[in-house]
Amino acid sequence: MKKTFFATIMVALLVSCQIETTQENIIPAYSKLAGKWKLYKIVLGYPMLNGPSEIKNTYEEILEFNATSKTFSRIVDGKTTETSNFDVKPLTNGLNETNPRDAIVFTKTNTYSYLSFDEKTSSLILSQSTPIGAVLADGNSFYYQKVQ
């Protein structure tokens, strides 16, 4: 009886430790990214004086993030144009920036895009893609809304 009780307690402790470890490894940005996102506007990084500050895209672009496998696909006008593994990491841009910002790192192309979420519009905002190690001083921002 004591052995059964002890074994039951040990199994319960082991399972609870595994669940805690798994939950600690889940990055909230991955669960927020999961799914399909459709591009709906592009905000210019450095608009011309008296020029537009944003442009409407002339093509359909869908980003698909699989948070479990950490894979990414870009679909432009119905055709897959890019696939990659991805990771979410805090990065600084090197221009006197001391606080790192979340960025998506695309391993296949060795590039990154800063990422943020606008809760008011339920938008995913990605900065212009930049090679790892390069500094993005003034690029466009791409706004996506979740479609799935």
Side-chain angles (χ1 to χ4, degrees), residues 29-88:
Y30 286 111
S31 59
K32 277 181 131 178
L33 275 175
K36 291 183 180 182
W37 297 84
K38 183 176 182 178
L39 179 67
Y40 71 93
K41 75 176 176 178
I42 301 168
V43 174
L44 300 174
Y46 190 69
M48 294 177 59
L49 187 60
N50 297 322
S53 60
E54 64 182 60
I55 56 175
K56 231 178 169 45
N57 53 312
T58 57
Y59 54 92
E60 181 182 78
E61 180 177 303
I62 303 286
L63 303 182
E64 187 170 355
F65 293 94
N66 183 320
T68 306
S69 64
K70 295 182 185 179
T71 55
F72 155 84
S73 296
R74 181 184 312 272
I75 300 132
V76 177
D77 291 333
K79 295 179 183 177
T80 301
T81 60
E82 181 182 359
T83 59
S84 181
N85 290 340
F86 74 93
D87 202 359
V88 176

Side-chain angles (χ1 to χ4, degrees), residues 16 25 49 55 114 117:
S16 68
N25 292 335
L49 187 60
I55 56 175
Y114 287 118
F117 293 95

Side-chain angles (χ1 to χ4, degrees), residues 125-145:
I125 306 164
L126 296 178
S127 67
Q128 189 167 328
S129 185
T130 308
I132 298 291
V135 175
L136 177 64
D138 195 22
N140 296 338
S141 296
F142 299 85
Y143 285 68
Y144 299 85
Q145 288 193 316

Side-chain angles (χ1 to χ4, degrees), residues 93-107:
N93 71 6
L95 294 173
N96 298 323
E97 188 177 277
T98 56
N99 294 328
R101 295 186 289 164
D102 282 340
I104 300 175
V105 176
F106 302 100
T107 56

Side-chain angles (χ1 to χ4, degrees), residues 8-19:
T8 303
I9 295 297
M10 291 304 291
V11 168
L13 285 172
L14 186 62
V15 168
S16 68
C17 288
Q18 287 177 341
I19 290 171

